[in-house]
Each structure stands twice: as structure tokens, then as C-alpha cells.
Amino acid sequence: MKRILSGLAMLSLCIPLFAQQVISRVDFGRRQPKPDFYEYSPADNGLVTLGPYSVASNRFLSLTKYDASLKKEWSVQLLEQNGRKTIDFLSVIGNHIFVFVTETLPREDVIKAYYYAYDLSGKVLAEEEILSVYPNEKEQKTGLQFVLSPNKRRLLCYKSLQTKREFETLLYYVFDDEGDFVQNGEVEVKYPDNKFRIRNVRISNNGNLFILGKFYRTQVVREATDFQHIIYQYDIAAQQGLEHKIVLGDLFINDLAFRVDRDENMYVAGFYSNRSTDQIAGTMLQKITPEGNIVMNAIEPFDANFLSNYLSRSQIDRGRELQNFYMDPENGIVLRSDGGVLLFAEKFYITYQSYRDISGYWVEREIFHYDDVVLTSVSAEGRIEWHAIIEKTQQSDNPNSLSFFSAVGAGGAYVFYEYKPRRNGFNVYSHQIGIDGQVTGRSPMFKDYKYGNEFYPRFCEQVSNDEALMVYMQNRGKIFTVARIRLEP
């Protein structure tokens, strides 16, 4: 599900690209309301959107379907808003469209979760189908989230209940690509809710759950043993769980991302430090079988050649580590076909600027910095093969258009970001990283891109091995654009 920020008529156009080819594009402008959500439809390469029924009012929401050329096929009025309803998310799985809603009913003092379902032709399959009804309590007021299995044939809806009791509790619902409501229940992880943080949740092709979490033993982290990363593997059919602790001795495990392959092997990768939680000294990679056996546990320090990009020789000799590099737990790891992984990290930090406004009041401005992207290739044996550095410098007090979008195809890896290089125009730029780590030069994406546009990397998505959806605003937020591009080899 892609929740959209702002925007708004529609034309299907194609625009020339310098670096990649646009297959189709849809522009939401002044005449028709912008959608609040959009979702790709893999079954027919189309698009589904959810948003206001008209420009004049947000009272009614409509569901709209577009074909592979991003031309409108149909639209239906979905529901009337009443101030108590929250759209949790929109999802497309197989030939089915799901819209999940949470509604608070004050008179009954309950929170009701339900869903609507349509097929790709617009036929109604379910309307306000109840998922759950719970007492109107604080712990139930967290919204549903969702994730698809690697093969896109199972949909997991879940939310963490804010109970602050002995167990961290995850409420879940599972659907398959036939549109069937397969299973629901609660997973209880033995750690107290106020000391356990869920970092990521996955569902395997077989429909089993995997929860990556972090348990804090102390309020203040000073030692590596003050916290513990854990993967909780839950068999839905048997309703049994198995815990896997990620242990690196006295090393600090910082950013972690994980993936589950088709055989339910768990790949856990990230960065470690010898000193603290805000520095990194190298990479770690573990492969854990479904039975809980660790068949690979590799720790690989960064070499001096890589460190020299950011540290002086004397700093390297003194054992200085890198700072401000972070990995996205959702998209930071890509599994390779040979058992290795690709790790994406970005340099990120915040600075503060104080000044007096025109009324004489002191104002503190928060500046977000998104700089270099580092792509690291780790072999199936856990050895660092190469690093690729994509140099960029982005800063703004509005982080929405900062950072990058990545994709992986037959030609290697691709990194896209908005930038204004010296002596070059403002644009979305791309790099291609080959299988040996070679980085191509910076290439502009769009001929008609200009100041006033905003690229939204967090709403972009790779939809196949050679295609991706790119999202940006035009004309200072007046036009919202979704373009499907082909990743050139």
C-alpha cells in the first residue's frame, strides 16, 4: 500500500527518458481528486487507487482501477466517511482487491475491523466483512499493517497490541490469492511489551510468520548485552513458535534486516560495532534453517580501502569506526540467487539551526541530511566482495523527497534520487551498479523535470524483474504522477 501525500486530472502520456524508458504514466491534476492510496496489480500490470469520490468533498471514497497503460477502467463508490472510520490500507493480491477499515463505535464502546473485497473487473466480493470486534481500549487503537509473501500469494494483516503486559502480542489475519480468509489469531512473544520493539514482520510462501524484534534489558544501553535481537518463527497451522537469538558476543548489533527464502531459511544481515550503537565497523550475515540451526555466521570488518573514503589514515590506524550510516529494515537487504546478499545503507543525520523570526521569537529548524548510498555485496560464505559508493548530498527541513529508491534487475542494481549536481539540471538521477560493483555515471531521468517538482522515493516500488513504479509531484504539488518505467540492462 502506498499512502500518498498530496496532489490531483488524469492524462496518459509518455515522456522521454535519458536513463530508463517510461512505459506508461498517469497524472492526477486539478479536475479529479488525487488518491490517498495506490497499489500495483501484478495480475494485469494495472493500478488500483483509493481516494475522494470528487474534488468538492472528501465525504465519499471511491475505488478506481487502471489498466496496464494506466488508463481508467472503472470506478465505484466505496464508503461514506463519518469521522470514526480509518482506512488502514489497500492491497491487491491475485485477482482480488482488499480495502481494510477500522471503525470506532462509541455507543457500543467497541473497535470494529472489517474489509471490502472486489475482483479486478469491479465485482463486489465482500462488503464490511467483519475481521474482529474488540473493546474500545487504548491497546486496540493501533492501525493494521500488511505484508505480502515473497511469491505475492499470501497477504498478512497484523497489528501489535499495546498491552504493557508480560507478553508482546501480535494480532494477525492471513488471506490467500484466491481471496479466501485463511487464518487469524494472536502470537504471543514472551517478552514484555514495554521492553520489546517489533522491527519487522514477514510471512513465508507457506503462510508462516517471522517476527524480528529487539528486547531491551535495561533502560539505557551501555553494553552490547543490554539488548538482544530475536527472530520469532511462528507456525500458524500448528500454532507453535520457535525463538532464534541473534548473538555476536560482545559486539554491538546495530541495523538489522532479514528475508525468508522459499524454503523458509532466514537470512539476517546488518552492521556491527565494537564500540556503540551509533557506529559501524563491518557486516554480519547469518543463515538460520527452519529448524533453528545456524548454518552460517559470518562477521566481516570493513577494510582500510573502503574506510579511507570517509576516514583519514590516522583515524583508521586508531580504530575509528564509521558513523551515521543506517540500513532500512524493510528494503536494506536483497537475496542473491547464489545465497549471498546485497546490503543498501545510507548516510543520514540531523542538524539544528536556530534563528529569530520576524516577530523576534527564536525558532529551531531541523535539517535532515541524506548523503552517500553504500551498496555492499556479501558472498554466500559471508565475505565482503565489494562496496559501491553512490555519492550525493541532500538536505532539507522537509525529508519527503530526500533519500533514494533502489531496484535490482538483470543489469544489476539501480539507485534513483532527486538531485541538483553542479553545472547540471535539477532532476531525478540514476546509477547502475554492475555485478562486480562498477558504478555508472549519474544519468538524468526525465526531460520535463524542473524546480517545483518533488520525487517521493518511499512511494516507489519495483514491480517485476525489469519494471518499477516511480512517483513524483509536479508544479509545486498541483499534479501527482505515477510512471511505470523499464529498467534497462
Side-chain angles (χ1 to χ4, degrees):
M1 173 271 296
K2 315 301 175 298
R3 182 185 289 274
I4 298 164
L5 298 180
S6 60
L8 285 116
M10 293 174 330
L11 323 164
S12 269
L13 300 172
C14 273
I15 56 175
L17 276 172
F18 293 111
Q20 314 292 333
Q21 177 186 351
V22 168
I23 303 170
S24 55
R25 179 178 117 177
V26 59
D27 296 329
F28 299 88
R30 294 178 180 274
R31 295 184 179 179
Q32 295 203 23
K34 84 164 186 66
D36 295 317
F37 301 87
Y38 87 89
E39 187 70 13
Y40 179 70
S41 171
D44 61 358
N45 299 322
L47 200 68
V48 179
T49 66
L50 176 65
Y53 186 74
S54 71
V55 177
S57 173
N58 292 330
R59 181 177 177 182
F60 295 96
L61 295 182
S62 65
L63 194 67
T64 305
K65 176 69 174 62
Y66 300 87
D67 64 15
S69 299
L70 299 187
K71 294 181 179 179
K72 184 175 177 180
E73 290 186 308
W74 53 263
S75 184
V76 295
Q77 184 173 300
L78 185 71
L79 59 83
E80 179 181 6
Q81 303 207 75
N82 58 12
R84 302 188 304 269
K85 298 176 182 178
T86 299
I87 307 298
D88 287 312
F89 60 88
L90 163 72
S91 182
V92 180
I93 176 170
N95 293 315
H96 300 84
I97 302 167
F98 292 97
V99 179
F100 292 86
V101 180
T102 299
E103 184 174 5
T104 302
L105 303 176
R107 184 171 298 177
E108 294 87 349
D109 202 27
V110 297
I111 298 174
K112 182 171 68 171
Y114 53 88
Y115 66 92
Y116 298 83
Y118 291 78
D119 66 15
L120 294 182
S121 67
K123 178 183 176 182
V124 179
L125 303 177
E127 191 168 5
E128 291 197 20
E129 191 76 20
I130 295 294
L131 282 176
S132 65
V133 179
Y134 280 89
N136 184 12
E137 298 173 354
K138 183 178 179 181
E139 67 181 74
Q140 301 294 337
K141 292 184 179 180
T142 56
L144 282 173
Q145 301 180 63
F146 87 102
V147 65
L148 291 171
S149 62
N151 63 4
K152 312 295 185 185
R153 299 185 65 179
R154 292 186 185 271
L155 170 68
L156 167 67
C157 315
Y158 68 93
K159 67 176 178 177
S160 176
L161 303 181
Q162 307 300 315
T163 60
K164 294 186 179 179
R165 58 191 183 191
E166 185 178 355
F167 295 95
E168 168 71 36
T169 305
L170 192 82
L171 176 66
Y172 69 87
Y173 311 93
V174 178
F175 295 78
D176 64 17
D177 59 349
E178 297 299 321
D180 294 326
F181 183 14
V182 179
Q183 194 86 31
N184 75 295
E186 294 183 0
V187 179
E188 288 190 337
V189 185
K190 69 179 183 181
Y191 300 93
D193 176 84
N194 60 348
K195 291 187 176 181
F196 191 80
R197 301 288 183 271
I198 292 179
R199 300 279 294 164
N200 212 328
V201 179
R202 303 283 181 192
I203 182 170
S204 70
N205 291 341
N206 296 328
N208 294 318
L209 273 59
F210 298 79
I211 303 168
L212 173 64
K214 194 173 183 179
F215 169 60
Y216 291 88
R217 294 188 174 91
T218 62
Q219 295 292 332
V220 179
V221 174
R222 294 187 176 90
E223 305 291 336
T225 53
D226 290 341
F227 63 92
Q228 174 77 64
H229 283 90
I230 296 153
I231 293 181
Y232 191 75
Q233 174 186 352
Y234 186 76
D235 186 320
I236 286 183
Q239 296 190 3
Q240 294 179 346
L242 183 63
E243 181 183 288
H244 312 287
K245 294 183 178 179
I246 313 301
V247 179
L248 290 186
D250 59 354
L251 299 177
F252 288 85
I253 301 175
N254 294 332
D255 288 325
L256 270 188
F258 85 109
R259 287 287 187 275
V260 180
D261 69 13
R262 66 185 66 181
D263 299 317
E264 297 199 342
N265 294 303
M266 291 155 275
Y267 288 80
V268 185
F271 297 121
Y272 73 87
S273 170
N274 299 292
R275 298 182 173 184
S276 68
T277 57
D278 62 351
Q279 301 182 60
I280 61 173
T283 63
M284 59 81 62
L285 175 62
Q286 287 189 354
K287 180 180 178 181
I288 307 172
T289 67
E291 297 75 32
N293 300 314
I294 300 176
V295 295
M296 180 176 60
N297 186 16
I299 300 173
E300 182 80 2
F302 296 133
D303 61 25
N305 186 49
F306 171 67
L307 293 174
S308 65
N309 290 283
Y310 301 100
L311 302 175
S312 66
R313 172 54 61 181
S314 62
Q315 289 174 325
I316 295 172
D317 292 341
R318 292 197 305 269
R320 180 82 172 267
E321 297 181 354
L322 299 181
Q323 288 185 296
N324 301 324
F325 280 92
Y326 298 94
M327 181 187 302
D328 185 343
E330 289 286 342
N331 304 305
I333 179 174
V334 177
L335 298 184
R336 299 187 337 199
S337 59
D338 63 355
V341 298
L342 296 176
L343 304 179
F344 288 88
E346 186 174 27
K347 189 169 186 179
F348 166 76
Y349 57 98
I350 300 174
T351 58
Y352 299 90
Q353 184 182 78
S354 296
Y355 64 93
R356 284 182 183 243
D357 64 14
I358 59 175
S359 300
Y361 294 102
W362 282 101
V363 177
E364 189 172 72
R365 184 185 179 204
E366 196 174 42
I367 309 296
F368 298 88
H369 300 259
Y370 288 83
D371 294 342
D372 293 358
V373 177
V374 176
L375 175 57
T376 301
S377 177
V378 183
S379 71
E381 296 73 37
R383 180 178 55 84
I384 293 179
E385 297 174 317
W386 47 260
H387 299 283
I389 299 176
I390 292 87
E391 296 181 354
K392 66 179 179 68
T393 303
Q394 299 171 302
Q395 67 178 54
S396 174
D397 54 3
N398 179 6
N400 290 326
S401 61
L402 304 182
S403 195
F404 71 99
F405 163 62
S406 63
V408 177
Y414 305 83
V415 172
F416 304 87
Y417 56 94
E418 188 179 76
Y419 199 53
K420 172 63 177 75
R422 183 177 297 179
R423 303 188 187 90
N424 286 284
F426 180 69
N427 213 313
V428 176
Y429 285 87
S430 69
H431 297 267
Q432 184 175 346
I433 301 95
I435 59 173
D436 295 322
Q438 318 96 315
V439 181
T440 63
R442 187 180 285 127
S443 300
M445 285 286 298
F446 303 104
K447 284 188 175 180
D448 62 350
Y449 209 82
K450 57 187 177 182
Y451 277 108
N453 290 1
E454 285 187 279
F455 177 55
Y456 291 128
R458 293 169 185 82
F459 302 136
C460 299
E461 177 186 5
Q462 183 170 358
V463 296
S464 70
N465 289 335
D466 59 357
E467 292 183 6
L469 294 179
M470 306 286 280
V471 177
Y472 60 96
M473 288 285 192
Q474 299 185 66
N475 298 343
R476 302 189 183 280
K478 295 178 181 178
I479 299 175
F480 179 84
T481 297
V482 180
R484 191 163 83 249
I485 69 164
R486 177 168 291 115
L487 303 170
E488 299 294 343

